[in-house]
Amino acid sequence: MKNLWSDREARSFVRRYAKERVNRDRALRVYTSRLLGGEPALVLHGGGNTSVKTTMKDVMGQNIEVLCVKGSGWDMAAIEPEGLPAVRLGPLREMVKLKRLSDEDMVNAQRVNLLDSTAPNPSVETLLHAFLPHKFIDHTHANAVLSLTDQKDGEALCRRLFGKKMGYVPYIIPGLDLSRKTLQVYEADPSVQGLILLKHGIFTFGDTAKQAYSRMIGMVTLAELRLKKGRKKVFTAAKLPQKTTAVADIAPVLRGLTRYGGKRLIFDFRGGAKVLNFVNGKDIRRYACQGTATPDHVIRTKQKPLITPAPETGGLNAFRKGTARALDRYVKDYQAYFKRNNRRQKIKRTELDPMPRVIMVPGLGLFGLGADAKAARITADLAETNIEVITAAECLGAYKVISEADTFDIEYWSLEQAKLGKGSEKPLARHVSVVTGGCSGIGAATARALAAEGSEVAVLDQDEKAALAVAAEFGGLGLACDVTDSRAVRRAFDQVVKKYGGVDIVVSNAGAAWPGTIGEVPDKVLRDSFELNFFAHQSVAQNAVRVMVAQGTGGCLLFNTSKQAVNPSKDFGPYGLPKAATMALMRQYALDYGHLGIKSNAVNADRIRSGLLTDDMVKARARARGLSQSDYMSGNLLGREVTAEDVAKVFVDLARSTKTTAAIVTVDGGNIAAALR
Ligand code: ZN
């Protein structure tokens, strides 16, 4: 592993932070924490932690000895000084005398000694950092070190490799006991440069930021070189079908099956040679189900993945049945694991949902699952890291991690349990929405409104750059799609499914207006309008129900039909006719798919400033009626101008409603001629 320390960079950190009255120690702590955090083979997504012992002034202007240690919720790759909260060092060190300390009391004692009462909770490994005497301490969950220690004879392997340069600490869950044991190991030989925490990770320390960091890189490099030696080939491939089904066909089936208590999950797919080599192995059930490479991954990934049968092209039904059976076993095993381990707890734990968070599909790859796209991505990242660690471990010997009881203690940690039930989810959380014409006024407003309600949102538009820009506002997916090309629509839906695992809500919004007197209009104009204003809705809806039926979790179709469907304008037939057909289409979907829980509704909007009604058109129409522009726009029963946001709100309301289908809701401020009768 490359040592990225640069004197010049270090000086620039010191200079930059001096302006914010951050001292040299803390500035350098930020610098090397970022170096560590930026390397995924060392830490991932908030894993690992660092500290520095320094002095800071309290409110009385007195110099106080403090430990600045990584705060929970901060990622080292992007850490700032406020992500390293300062805790009074004296009181922390006093705690070494305690015989026992609950996690809750530990967190409280750390919080009451913060210099800034608004700072985040200091890391759960704070006491360990405080008890050791060194100025700079770095802690990572380096893949290479884990591949060595996560072995049957991991300790002996590490001792042979690192010798007396490192101390060796047996596995203990983070807290007072681990901190005291670590100090004991260090004191037995204070010449060590760091400590290997067996089945957990590595600490290095030093008088300077550079020394602690360089020792980390040095030790990890040693481990990497060791892993390269005498590597045996691993994972004999199992017999798999010649051709497997596409991710886009498999994911909705899995997403439907993993629903629990009415809640669905968002998926994140990973393929690639390393993943396939792992999931295609004959012995996958042995090496993939041992547990996670470092204990805290279990909170996101669970101890074991679900392993499905290999899907065969055309055999989707067999895949569904086989997976349902495997999942049933998985759930029963998980519940038994909970029962078994909860029995020995003094304070009984609350059982978490038994659904897997990692699904491995031989022949295809893996899925990370989470309550939202970000959680799913993190889970998939951790799963890939575990594959990396396990593969290297198996090349050397046999992968072996902490016991089931120790795993349970992390998964059901009292501090994690305390978070349960807190923080309410948004109404459309765990849902995936697709909006076509996603960059028009109404489309973009609807995409934003769905995202604000917690949904993952894919923005489809002819203009790829515009789609990406709208999606970037809320971290969604932007895709180029000409909805009149049915193959392009299929491709776009496949991409959405590959990204999120399925589809729940579809707003078929793309459209355009063609004027023309019906007796004279060229055939081509009418047909072009039918392509976009009718057939495109049909191909979008067809793809949507295909995915929804595979999921078996119902769904929601929404069409933008415009008032033309009900109240045609003179010389506007080419626009009104297909819109009227689309209104009938909406009802047909409601009728044909209602028994599967798929709702189908339409919004009938009028006089909205958007791509269809440009400012120039507003001007011309207002002039023709002898009205001012604003009088023209608010020329409705309520006398209020209707905006794209008003339309978006109704789309969201319909998406949230559970008992409305085959309905047309007007959003026009009241136009009695467009009222349904
Ligand atoms: Zn750790």
Side-chain angles (χ1 to χ4, degrees), residues 530-542:
F530 260 91
E531 279 302 330
L532 178 60
N533 292 316
F534 174 75
F535 284 106
H537 287 294
Q538 161 65 351
S539 92
V540 166
Q542 223 168 19

PDB file of all heavy atoms in Angstrom, residues 530-542:
ATOM      1  N   PHE A 530     -50.425  10.486 -31.875  1.00  0.00           N
ATOM      2  CA  PHE A 530     -50.832   9.224 -31.238  1.00  0.00           C
ATOM      3  C   PHE A 530     -49.614   8.453 -30.710  1.00  0.00           C
ATOM      4  O   PHE A 530     -49.679   7.824 -29.663  1.00  0.00           O
ATOM      5  CB  PHE A 530     -51.665   8.359 -32.201  1.00  0.00           C
ATOM      6  CG  PHE A 530     -53.142   8.469 -31.937  1.00  0.00           C
ATOM      7  CD1 PHE A 530     -53.912   9.430 -32.599  1.00  0.00           C
ATOM      8  CD2 PHE A 530     -53.759   7.654 -31.000  1.00  0.00           C
ATOM      9  CE1 PHE A 530     -55.275   9.555 -32.327  1.00  0.00           C
ATOM     10  CE2 PHE A 530     -55.123   7.772 -30.730  1.00  0.00           C
ATOM     11  CZ  PHE A 530     -55.886   8.727 -31.392  1.00  0.00           C
ATOM     12  N   GLU A 531     -48.501   8.523 -31.456  1.00  0.00           N
ATOM     13  CA  GLU A 531     -47.283   7.833 -30.993  1.00  0.00           C
ATOM     14  C   GLU A 531     -46.883   8.329 -29.605  1.00  0.00           C
ATOM     15  O   GLU A 531     -46.615   7.539 -28.703  1.00  0.00           O
ATOM     16  CB  GLU A 531     -46.113   8.068 -31.966  1.00  0.00           C
ATOM     17  CG  GLU A 531     -46.123   7.174 -33.186  1.00  0.00           C
ATOM     18  CD  GLU A 531     -46.101   5.681 -32.871  1.00  0.00           C
ATOM     19  OE1 GLU A 531     -45.537   5.284 -31.828  1.00  0.00           O
ATOM     20  OE2 GLU A 531     -46.680   4.910 -33.668  1.00  0.00           O
ATOM     21  N   LEU A 532     -46.828   9.643 -29.437  1.00  0.00           N
ATOM     22  CA  LEU A 532     -46.348  10.210 -28.172  1.00  0.00           C
ATOM     23  C   LEU A 532     -47.454  10.287 -27.107  1.00  0.00           C
ATOM     24  O   LEU A 532     -47.225   9.979 -25.946  1.00  0.00           O
ATOM     25  CB  LEU A 532     -45.762  11.616 -28.408  1.00  0.00           C
ATOM     26  CG  LEU A 532     -45.259  12.329 -27.154  1.00  0.00           C
ATOM     27  CD1 LEU A 532     -44.143  11.529 -26.467  1.00  0.00           C
ATOM     28  CD2 LEU A 532     -44.746  13.728 -27.492  1.00  0.00           C
ATOM     29  N   ASN A 533     -48.648  10.703 -27.534  1.00  0.00           N
ATOM     30  CA  ASN A 533     -49.682  10.980 -26.533  1.00  0.00           C
ATOM     31  C   ASN A 533     -50.560   9.774 -26.199  1.00  0.00           C
ATOM     32  O   ASN A 533     -51.396   9.848 -25.310  1.00  0.00           O
ATOM     33  CB  ASN A 533     -50.538  12.162 -26.994  1.00  0.00           C
ATOM     34  CG  ASN A 533     -49.745  13.453 -26.990  1.00  0.00           C
ATOM     35  OD1 ASN A 533     -49.002  13.731 -26.043  1.00  0.00           O
ATOM     36  ND2 ASN A 533     -49.853  14.224 -28.068  1.00  0.00           N
ATOM     37  N   PHE A 534     -50.368   8.675 -26.939  1.00  0.00           N
ATOM     38  CA  PHE A 534     -51.090   7.457 -26.568  1.00  0.00           C
ATOM     39  C   PHE A 534     -50.156   6.234 -26.473  1.00  0.00           C
ATOM     40  O   PHE A 534     -50.001   5.653 -25.407  1.00  0.00           O
ATOM     41  CB  PHE A 534     -52.227   7.155 -27.549  1.00  0.00           C
ATOM     42  CG  PHE A 534     -52.869   5.832 -27.257  1.00  0.00           C
ATOM     43  CD1 PHE A 534     -53.722   5.687 -26.162  1.00  0.00           C
ATOM     44  CD2 PHE A 534     -52.581   4.703 -28.025  1.00  0.00           C
ATOM     45  CE1 PHE A 534     -54.273   4.447 -25.853  1.00  0.00           C
ATOM     46  CE2 PHE A 534     -53.136   3.464 -27.712  1.00  0.00           C
ATOM     47  CZ  PHE A 534     -53.984   3.336 -26.629  1.00  0.00           C
ATOM     48  N   PHE A 535     -49.521   5.875 -27.609  1.00  0.00           N
ATOM     49  CA  PHE A 535     -48.741   4.624 -27.607  1.00  0.00           C
ATOM     50  C   PHE A 535     -47.571   4.662 -26.612  1.00  0.00           C
ATOM     51  O   PHE A 535     -47.238   3.640 -26.004  1.00  0.00           O
ATOM     52  CB  PHE A 535     -48.261   4.278 -29.018  1.00  0.00           C
ATOM     53  CG  PHE A 535     -49.352   3.726 -29.877  1.00  0.00           C
ATOM     54  CD1 PHE A 535     -49.920   4.489 -30.894  1.00  0.00           C
ATOM     55  CD2 PHE A 535     -49.857   2.444 -29.646  1.00  0.00           C
ATOM     56  CE1 PHE A 535     -50.954   3.986 -31.672  1.00  0.00           C
ATOM     57  CE2 PHE A 535     -50.892   1.933 -30.419  1.00  0.00           C
ATOM     58  CZ  PHE A 535     -51.446   2.709 -31.437  1.00  0.00           C
ATOM     59  N   ALA A 536     -46.953   5.823 -26.436  1.00  0.00           N
ATOM     60  CA  ALA A 536     -45.849   5.920 -25.469  1.00  0.00           C
ATOM     61  C   ALA A 536     -46.368   5.635 -24.052  1.00  0.00           C
ATOM     62  O   ALA A 536     -45.723   4.939 -23.271  1.00  0.00           O
ATOM     63  CB  ALA A 536     -45.199   7.293 -25.535  1.00  0.00           C
ATOM     64  N   HIS A 537     -47.555   6.158 -23.728  1.00  0.00           N
ATOM     65  CA  HIS A 537     -48.152   5.869 -22.406  1.00  0.00           C
ATOM     66  C   HIS A 537     -48.359   4.364 -22.255  1.00  0.00           C
ATOM     67  O   HIS A 537     -48.137   3.798 -21.190  1.00  0.00           O
ATOM     68  CB  HIS A 537     -49.493   6.584 -22.261  1.00  0.00           C
ATOM     69  CG  HIS A 537     -49.375   8.068 -22.074  1.00  0.00           C
ATOM     70  ND1 HIS A 537     -48.803   8.628 -20.954  1.00  0.00           N
ATOM     71  CD2 HIS A 537     -49.746   9.104 -22.866  1.00  0.00           C
ATOM     72  CE1 HIS A 537     -48.844   9.954 -21.056  1.00  0.00           C
ATOM     73  NE2 HIS A 537     -49.403  10.272 -22.218  1.00  0.00           N
ATOM     74  N   GLN A 538     -48.824   3.747 -23.360  1.00  0.00           N
ATOM     75  CA  GLN A 538     -49.062   2.311 -23.318  1.00  0.00           C
ATOM     76  C   GLN A 538     -47.753   1.549 -23.094  1.00  0.00           C
ATOM     77  O   GLN A 538     -47.698   0.639 -22.263  1.00  0.00           O
ATOM     78  CB  GLN A 538     -49.766   1.860 -24.616  1.00  0.00           C
ATOM     79  CG  GLN A 538     -49.678   0.369 -24.932  1.00  0.00           C
ATOM     80  CD  GLN A 538     -50.395  -0.531 -23.923  1.00  0.00           C
ATOM     81  OE1 GLN A 538     -50.846  -0.068 -22.868  1.00  0.00           O
ATOM     82  NE2 GLN A 538     -50.483  -1.810 -24.233  1.00  0.00           N
ATOM     83  N   SER A 539     -46.683   1.924 -23.794  1.00  0.00           N
ATOM     84  CA  SER A 539     -45.462   1.125 -23.620  1.00  0.00           C
ATOM     85  C   SER A 539     -44.838   1.377 -22.242  1.00  0.00           C
ATOM     86  O   SER A 539     -44.274   0.469 -21.638  1.00  0.00           O
ATOM     87  CB  SER A 539     -44.500   1.301 -24.803  1.00  0.00           C
ATOM     88  OG  SER A 539     -43.597   2.319 -24.576  1.00  0.00           O
ATOM     89  N   VAL A 540     -44.967   2.594 -21.709  1.00  0.00           N
ATOM     90  CA  VAL A 540     -44.483   2.865 -20.350  1.00  0.00           C
ATOM     91  C   VAL A 540     -45.296   2.049 -19.337  1.00  0.00           C
ATOM     92  O   VAL A 540     -44.737   1.381 -18.457  1.00  0.00           O
ATOM     93  CB  VAL A 540     -44.575   4.385 -20.032  1.00  0.00           C
ATOM     94  CG1 VAL A 540     -44.412   4.653 -18.540  1.00  0.00           C
ATOM     95  CG2 VAL A 540     -43.526   5.151 -20.830  1.00  0.00           C
ATOM     96  N   ALA A 541     -46.623   2.065 -19.495  1.00  0.00           N
ATOM     97  CA  ALA A 541     -47.483   1.347 -18.544  1.00  0.00           C
ATOM     98  C   ALA A 541     -47.251  -0.164 -18.630  1.00  0.00           C
ATOM     99  O   ALA A 541     -47.229  -0.861 -17.610  1.00  0.00           O
ATOM    100  CB  ALA A 541     -48.949   1.680 -18.814  1.00  0.00           C
ATOM    101  N   GLN A 542     -47.059  -0.644 -19.867  1.00  0.00           N
ATOM    102  CA  GLN A 542     -46.827  -2.071 -20.070  1.00  0.00           C
ATOM    103  C   GLN A 542     -45.557  -2.530 -19.340  1.00  0.00           C
ATOM    104  O   GLN A 542     -45.550  -3.554 -18.661  1.00  0.00           O
ATOM    105  CB  GLN A 542     -46.659  -2.327 -21.565  1.00  0.00           C
ATOM    106  CG  GLN A 542     -47.393  -3.534 -22.036  1.00  0.00           C
ATOM    107  CD  GLN A 542     -47.443  -3.599 -23.565  1.00  0.00           C
ATOM    108  OE1 GLN A 542     -46.661  -2.949 -24.265  1.00  0.00           O
ATOM    109  NE2 GLN A 542     -48.365  -4.382 -24.071  1.00  0.00           N
TER     110      GLN A 542
END
